[in-house]
Amino acid sequence: MNDRLNRVHASRSAAVKAGLDHPVIDTDVHVNDYAPVLEDYVAQYGGNKLVDALRKALGGRFVTRNGGGKDWYQQTPEERQFHRTLRAPWWARVTRNTYDLATYTLPALLYERLGEQGSDYSILFPNDVLSPAAAGSEYRQPLHRAINHFHADQYRPYADRLTPVAGIPLHTPQEGIEELEFAVKTLGLKVINIAGGVRRPIRAIVEKYPAAEHPEIARQVGYIDFYGIDSEHDYDPFWAKVVELGVPVTTHYGSQGWTGRQSISNYMNNHIGHFADGSQAFAKALFFGGVTRRFPGLRVGLLEGGADWGAHVYTHLVDRWEKRNRHALRNYDPAEADVELLASLFERYGADFLKGRTLDKSKLLRDSLGISALPHSREPNESEIDDFALAGIEKVEDIRDRWVDNFYFGSEADDRTVAAAFNDRVNPLGTKINAIWSSDVGHWDVPEFTEPLAETWDLVQQGVISAADFKAFVFGNPYRFYTEANPRFFEGTEVGRKLGLKGGK
């Protein structure tokens, strides 16, 4: 007991927490699974065959699509060049700080140490929660179900301060609905984590080069379905079920391996900014596909990418809409050009161009704009003109309502760029972006479990953010994220107790 109290008193974050008049909610704690117990659960759902599928899925993370069947470390430098094998993440978890390693693996120890971290309530993202997505279709759902069941049982005794997310597969809307209902109704889990996209084959290529005959092509060629726009599936039933059940959606969706993130030797080259890029693609698909318009109650937390990208995309959406809404587009419609005026100006100022040539008015517009600026076969119809039509944007305020209200952006404790989220002098309509505190403890960027809250308070002392922004970051915004999806989210928790909520423990 004395050792524990000494650690709490010695923590910088505990000292910061002692001076606050509000709870602290951590939206991103990564925990490890103790494999022997996890595999017991998996075996109950599918025997040794399912356990083998899990092990293969976990190992498959580091065998890239173009690795020739070997992982990066099994290949020679020449093989890596030949296959262009991506350098995958490595040494990504805490090890030297052995006390912290145990903390991320043992629920009782994590619960005991929250005082050192300065957190009242933490959302847990087990590192293996999305591993089943790498498994084949016959294993994907039972693996998700087994892993979610394991996590629900492991953390149920600590529910007043800890809750694990449920991993939900979304290769089809139906499988997502089935696992969502099991996770929420049967297991009692209240937050979900999804991949921000699903890689799919391009049907035209598959028909010409069947995967069974040309596996090397199947591994290389495909596209990513981000659910919201241009999908071959209708995901609205899934989003409707999410809203009906009152579940906040989170994602740690990255873009390593995409164009510009394909180094075969350097993990950091592939890593920096990849969560922001991946989540941006997902969020824009929901926005432009009209998902946030049709489901204003949907709340999505986009983690590990920081909040500054949420601010700059919001700004760029406004900028683009002002220049390319369906009315402003007439500024660029070739039919709006006055060909007679254009011809007269050429005659007056273009003598050098016309020397030895006959002015052909029928081709003048094409020749002035360039062939590529004009449609080759037909004029676009009305449904093809307005890129903001599905989102239902009629005024700038609609962009704010369908971007800012629905999305929350996870920023890590020492991320100075979070200042962009709170910069209401720059963000359109004087808006602050919903940055939510996400410590990311358990991963390599947080070598010390007890430091994140203090590191965020350092930003206040350095003048990066204000004390009011700090409160919004570590409490106000995450509290709204969860309770706007589910008003009873914090009943029976430490946060509920401190706020005097009905049912607060």
Side-chain angles (χ1 to χ4, degrees):
M1 172 66 79
N2 288 336
D3 179 57
R4 184 181 70 182
L5 290 176
N6 288 337
R7 288 198 307 271
V8 172
H9 291 154
S11 162
R12 286 206 310 141
S13 291
V16 170
K17 182 64 164 58
L20 302 180
D21 62 355
H22 55 80
V24 172
I25 301 168
D26 190 345
T27 291
D28 196 12
V29 171
H30 290 277
V31 291
N32 302 324
D33 294 331
Y34 185 61
V37 180
L38 171 60
E39 290 182 356
D40 286 346
Y41 275 76
V42 173
Q44 291 177 24
Y45 277 83
N48 291 333
K49 185 177 181 181
L50 197 59
V51 173
D52 289 342
L54 173 64
R55 292 174 179 175
K56 183 177 180 180
L58 293 175
R61 290 178 178 180
F62 303 101
V63 181
T64 56
R65 290 192 305 272
N66 48 350
K70 298 180 182 180
D71 71 26
W72 191 89
Y73 296 95
Q74 293 172 319
Q75 293 180 353
T76 65
E78 293 74 21
E79 287 176 317
R80 294 168 194 158
Q81 284 282 0
F82 182 76
H83 292 287
R84 299 305 299 175
T85 305
L86 182 76
R87 183 75 193 271
W90 55 281
W91 287 2
R93 302 182 192 174
V94 174
T95 54
R96 186 176 185 178
N97 189 330
T98 306
Y99 200 70
D100 283 359
L101 170 60
T103 298
Y104 303 132
T105 309
L106 301 170
L109 181 57
L110 173 61
Y111 184 83
E112 180 181 285
R113 295 191 67 198
L114 287 181
E116 294 176 66
Q117 193 206 13
S119 173
D120 293 285
Y121 193 84
S122 297
I123 311 300
L124 310 181
F125 292 85
N127 286 302
D128 295 332
V129 76
L130 282 181
S131 300
S137 58
E138 67 177 300
Y139 302 118
R140 197 165 52 240
Q141 284 189 258
L143 276 177
H144 272 96
R145 189 162 293 197
I147 291 174
N148 290 338
H149 195 166
F150 166 71
H151 293 143
D153 285 355
Q154 291 292 300
Y155 292 98
R156 189 173 290 111
Y158 313 102
D160 62 318
R161 301 192 71 176
L162 302 173
T163 191
V165 301
I168 303 297
L170 270 183
H171 281 64
T172 68
Q174 186 56 38
E175 74 174 14
I177 291 171
E178 290 172 2
E179 296 316 305
L180 174 65
E181 290 190 319
F182 179 79
V184 175
K185 295 180 178 180
T186 302
L187 299 179
L189 297 173
K190 40 185 197 177
V191 186
I192 65 171
N193 194 49
I194 65 172
V198 172
R199 182 178 171 83
R200 303 194 193 278
I202 298 172
R203 287 187 289 125
I205 295 176
V206 171
E207 288 181 7
K208 188 172 183 180
Y209 302 101
E213 299 173 20
H214 302 276
E216 71 287 356
I217 295 178
R219 284 194 298 267
Q220 294 287 345
V221 179
Y223 73 99
I224 300 175
D225 179 354
F226 297 110
Y227 316 123
I229 192 168
D230 302 329
S231 177
E232 295 182 19
H233 296 270
D234 177 10
Y235 278 92
D236 274 9
F238 175 76
W239 306 124
K241 182 61 67 173
V242 165
V243 173
E244 175 194 328
L245 295 177
V247 182
V249 179
T250 63
T251 186
H252 290 73
Y253 189 60
S255 59
Q256 292 191 59
W258 295 9
T259 301
R261 303 186 185 282
Q262 296 174 317
S263 170
I264 66 173
S265 63
N266 195 298
Y267 165 38
M268 286 295 95
N269 179 81
N270 298 333
H271 178 272
I272 294 173
H274 88 101
F275 280 117
D277 285 354
S279 286
Q280 181 182 140
F282 168 54
K284 286 191 300 186
L286 298 190
F287 174 84
F288 281 111
V291 174
T292 57
R293 175 193 185 187
R294 295 189 296 277
F295 301 99
L298 181 66
R299 293 295 176 268
V300 180
L302 305 141
L303 304 180
E304 292 203 38
D308 61 318
W309 74 264
H312 81 243
V313 172
Y314 169 52
T315 300
H316 290 321
L317 286 172
V318 171
D319 291 345
R320 266 63 169 182
W321 180 80
E322 288 177 340
K323 299 296 192 298
R324 294 193 66 84
N325 65 67
R326 66 177 181 275
H327 303 296
L329 276 170
R330 294 305 173 191
N331 289 319
Y332 324 114
D333 185 349
E336 297 291 322
D338 185 335
V339 177
E340 292 297 328
L341 175 59
L342 184 63
S344 67
L345 293 171
F346 261 81
E347 289 172 348
R348 184 173 180 180
Y349 296 101
D352 290 343
F353 287 169
L354 299 177
K355 189 178 299 182
R357 294 182 174 85
T358 301
L359 184 64
D360 186 343
K361 294 182 182 179
S362 67
K363 298 179 180 179
L364 183 56
L365 183 61
R366 182 204 68 182
D367 293 343
S368 297
L369 288 174
I371 294 174
S372 63
L374 295 173
H376 290 284
S377 58
R378 62 168 176 80
E379 296 294 325
N381 58 49
E382 283 299 314
S383 67
E384 297 169 326
I385 287 177
D386 187 359
D387 285 335
F388 294 84
L390 292 177
I393 306 303
E394 299 292 337
K395 54 186 182 299
V396 171
E397 287 79 5
D398 293 336
I399 299 176
R400 177 195 61 198
D401 296 346
R402 289 159 198 167
W403 181 265
V404 177
D405 290 358
N406 290 85
F407 297 127
Y408 287 72
F409 303 88
S411 289
E412 292 165 23
D414 59 350
D415 184 355
R416 299 172 64 85
T417 68
V418 73
F422 297 111
N423 193 342
D424 52 8
R425 292 173 298 172
V426 172
N427 298 332
L429 301 177
T431 300
K432 293 188 177 184
I433 300 300
N434 300 318
I436 52 178
W437 195 63
S438 307
S439 71
D440 205 36
V441 292
H443 282 173
W444 60 260
D445 48 341
V446 189
E448 171 53 58
F449 172 73
T450 66
E451 272 294 288
L453 188 65
E455 289 179 329
T456 304
W457 186 250
D458 289 342
L459 300 182
V460 177
Q461 295 182 316
Q462 295 162 10
V464 176
I465 60 175
S466 69
D469 294 335
F470 174 90
K471 181 176 181 179
F473 187 29
V474 305
F475 169 61
N477 289 348
Y479 183 80
R480 284 192 300 106
F481 172 58
Y482 297 108
T483 57
E484 285 178 354
N486 175 7
R488 302 182 62 183
F489 189 92
F490 288 106
E491 289 184 7
T493 71
E494 177 67 7
V495 172
R497 184 190 69 79
K498 288 193 171 183
L499 297 179
L501 300 178
K502 179 182 178 182
K505 188 169 181 178

